[in-house]
Amino acid sequence: MTAIDTNFLQELQARGLIAQMTGGDAIVEHLNSGSRTLYCGFDPTADSLHIGSLVPLLMLKRFQLAGHKPIALVGGATGLIGDPSFKAQERKLNTADVVANWVDKLKCQVSQFIDFSCGQNSAEVVNNLDWVGKIDVLTFLRDVGKHFSVNNMINKESVKQRIEREGEGISFTEFTYMLLQSYDFSELYVRNACTLQIGGSDQWGNITGGIDLTRRMHGAHVFGLTMPLVTKSDGTKFGKTESGTVWLDAAKTSPYAFYQFWLNTADADVYKFLRYFTFLSVARIEAIEAEDVARQGKPEAQRILAEEVTRLVHGDAGLLAAQRITQALFSDELSGLSESDFLQLQQDGLPSSKLIRAEIIDLPLTQLLADAELAVSGKQIKDALVRNAVFVNGVAKSIDDNMQAANCFASGNAFFNRFYLVRVGKKKYHLFEVV
């Protein structure tokens, strides 16, 4: 029998990971008295999850480590409808083919975070289209719809906000989303003896709907637990950067850019994020905070957070590449960078542009670098050259160098026959690919 960690809920509380729970003492007794099956749903609204999904993904892993069996549900059916919870307007409906493709990609992503070969509490990934797609509309309305009061549904906070928002409203399609998610819980109870659903705090209404439906259809007592939605202390949206959303897919957000996101966490957020996004013990995190306060210099917490989360999402190889690129840019020692490292920088690590060699033969270097917004004007570039503050692939360029771009970007000076990393001053970078 799988050993159960009876201190598990206290640890979640200490990490600040519980927003609400149903059942009071009953859920504590339920989780402490045996290995339980729980699930969390992930709707395919894009071809990748983003870092907003990390808290529930890691929560599934935390429950598994505590001796419970996690199910990751990928919403092939609910993804065709769209969750209205706290959304300002109706979602765009995607085609069945697009959603099916996204479902396959999300299945692979969620599989990174849970263990499928650890005995009784081995994880599973399911798709709710497997059961929702087989039920006809009359059966659904008679067997499921009859258990829902429209009065109660429109009083759910997530729905009420949409109804009361002038000029928006909510379609019948999205209004039925709660029924579909509730039916998932009821169905997983029958199929997998699943007795707990977890999700973000914006899912509270949908989760309690599923608890009530499972009781009405099967006479079962099941539970719900929500996690707080991640917020930043400065009020800006978590998971967004100037270049957009921070994705879990390395093809959409490179490991280097991912690492930099966490490295740039504000001091006011970093210790909370260590509790949310890492498996370091609470005692260890408290020690890190105490050491940072005592040091009164640059805190270590951001580096530890960046290393832990990048390793979780992109593995040791992804972390090492991110660290290698970071150190190379800091030291101007670029020779240790691989071709894939330059491709990461080109993807989203630095401002970059592609040039055709024939088109820069007669182009002044000052104009090229000013056009790349490394300075406001060619004159500022010229001043930087006088100060030996312009570097091409780590080599300082001076005003005495031939001022034509073609000479500074000579083919023999390129990394991998095409890449030129230019730095002006201490912080202005641009990556050129010359073909």
Side-chain angles (χ1 to χ4, degrees):
M1 183 176 172
T2 305
I4 303 302
D5 180 0
T6 56
N7 296 317
F8 177 56
L9 286 176
Q10 291 97 309
E11 185 193 334
L12 295 184
Q13 294 276 18
R15 288 181 176 274
L17 281 172
I18 298 178
Q20 294 167 291
M21 289 190 302
T22 66
D25 291 340
I27 189 174
V28 178
E29 171 62 24
H30 182 67
L31 291 174
N32 286 347
S33 59
S35 178
R36 306 302 177 188
T37 300
L38 69 144
Y39 94 95
C40 184
F42 302 90
D43 274 352
T45 56
D47 59 355
S48 171
L49 297 171
H50 52 73
I51 57 174
S53 303
L54 264 180
V55 169
L57 277 171
L58 297 180
M59 186 69 110
L60 287 177
K61 181 66 173 177
R62 294 183 202 280
F63 268 92
Q64 188 171 39
L65 292 172
H68 303 288
K69 178 183 178 67
I71 296 175
L73 181 149
V74 181
T78 42
L80 289 167
I81 301 302
D83 184 359
S85 298
F86 301 98
K87 298 293 184 293
Q89 57 192 11
E90 195 89 3
R91 288 180 184 269
K92 174 191 169 189
L93 289 179
N94 296 294
T95 66
D97 287 346
V98 167
V99 171
N101 181 42
W102 291 352
V103 164
D104 289 340
K105 291 185 176 181
L106 264 58
K107 277 184 175 181
C108 292
Q109 276 192 333
V110 300
S111 298
Q112 293 176 234
F113 296 91
I114 42 184
D115 190 346
F116 292 84
S117 56
C118 57
Q120 288 182 330
N121 62 329
S122 294
E124 292 184 43
V125 176
V126 298
N127 180 353
N128 59 13
L129 190 61
D130 290 346
W131 52 86
V132 175
K134 293 175 182 174
I135 188 170
D136 65 86
V137 65
L138 287 176
T139 302
F140 184 76
L141 290 173
R142 287 173 61 85
D143 293 352
V144 178
K146 70 177 181 180
H147 294 299
F148 285 83
S149 160
V150 171
N151 305 57
N152 290 337
M153 289 174 70
I154 62 177
N155 282 322
K156 297 283 186 183
E157 192 62 33
S158 57
V159 174
K160 190 193 297 186
Q161 286 188 14
R162 279 282 290 280
I163 292 175
E164 293 175 352
R165 184 173 284 111
E166 190 174 342
E168 290 296 341
I170 184 171
S171 71
F172 178 73
T173 299
E174 287 199 357
F175 187 59
T176 62
Y177 184 92
M178 183 189 296
L179 277 70
L180 292 176
Q181 184 169 325
S182 299
Y183 184 57
D184 287 343
F185 199 175
S186 170
E187 191 70 13
L188 285 174
Y189 171 77
V190 173
R191 288 170 176 249
N192 301 80
C194 179
T195 55
L196 173 65
Q197 182 184 172
I198 66 171
S201 58
D202 60 340
Q203 295 300 306
W204 180 251
N206 292 332
I207 290 173
T208 54
I211 291 170
D212 191 48
L213 180 65
T214 307
R215 177 181 59 81
R216 289 172 180 271
M217 290 185 74
H218 308 295
H221 190 187
V222 295
F223 302 91
L225 181 153
T226 65
M227 298 147 280
L229 298 179
V230 185
T231 57
K232 291 171 70 173
S233 57
D234 64 2
T236 58
K237 191 166 184 179
F238 172 76
K240 295 282 188 180
T241 67
E242 288 182 13
S243 57
T245 301
V246 181
W247 301 96
L248 301 187
D249 185 345
K252 293 171 75 75
T253 298
S254 71
Y256 168 73
F258 188 87
Y259 179 80
Q260 290 296 316
F261 170 83
W262 298 101
L263 210 56
N264 290 319
T265 301
D267 291 349
D269 294 320
V270 67
Y271 305 104
K272 177 176 77 171
F273 288 0
L274 280 168
R275 287 173 168 83
Y276 282 7
F277 295 107
T278 78
F279 289 91
L280 297 174
S281 69
V282 173
R284 175 70 185 117
I285 294 166
E286 289 172 348
I288 292 168
E289 185 170 9
E291 289 162 9
D292 282 347
V293 170
R295 191 181 299 108
Q296 294 184 333
K298 185 179 178 182
E300 285 289 295
Q302 280 85 348
R303 177 189 59 78
I304 295 169
L305 175 67
E307 288 177 359
E308 292 290 325
V309 185
T310 305
R311 186 185 290 111
L312 277 171
V313 175
H314 295 296
D316 288 331
L319 172 59
L320 288 171
Q323 291 173 319
R324 184 169 59 244
I325 297 168
T326 301
Q327 179 58 31
L329 293 180
F330 178 77
S331 66
D332 276 331
E333 290 291 332
L334 307 176
S335 59
L337 295 181
S338 68
E339 187 169 12
S340 66
D341 293 340
F342 279 101
L343 291 172
Q344 283 195 48
L345 287 172
Q346 185 180 50
Q347 176 184 322
D348 56 10
L350 292 175
S352 64
S353 53
K354 290 189 178 183
L355 304 172
I356 297 172
R357 189 170 296 281
E359 293 179 355
I360 65 170
I361 288 175
D362 298 319
L363 191 66
L365 179 65
T366 51
Q367 181 185 334
L368 177 63
L369 300 190
D371 288 347
E373 299 183 351
L374 284 162
V376 174
S377 66
K379 183 181 181 304
Q380 285 192 358
I381 296 293
K382 200 168 186 179
D383 292 342
L385 284 163
V386 171
R387 302 193 312 271
N388 290 325
V390 176
F391 295 80
V392 178
N393 283 350
V395 178
K397 297 296 176 181
S398 70
I399 198 69
D400 298 324
D401 290 331
N402 188 311
M403 295 297 290
Q404 296 303 107
N407 288 329
C408 285
F409 290 180
S411 57
N413 300 331
F415 284 111
F416 304 100
N417 299 315
R418 53 185 169 138
F419 291 117
Y420 300 85
L421 182 59
V422 176
R423 174 167 66 85
V424 175
K426 290 186 176 181
K427 292 186 177 179
K428 285 272 191 177
Y429 288 92
H430 197 96
L431 180 64
F432 294 93
E433 181 184 6
V434 182
V435 294

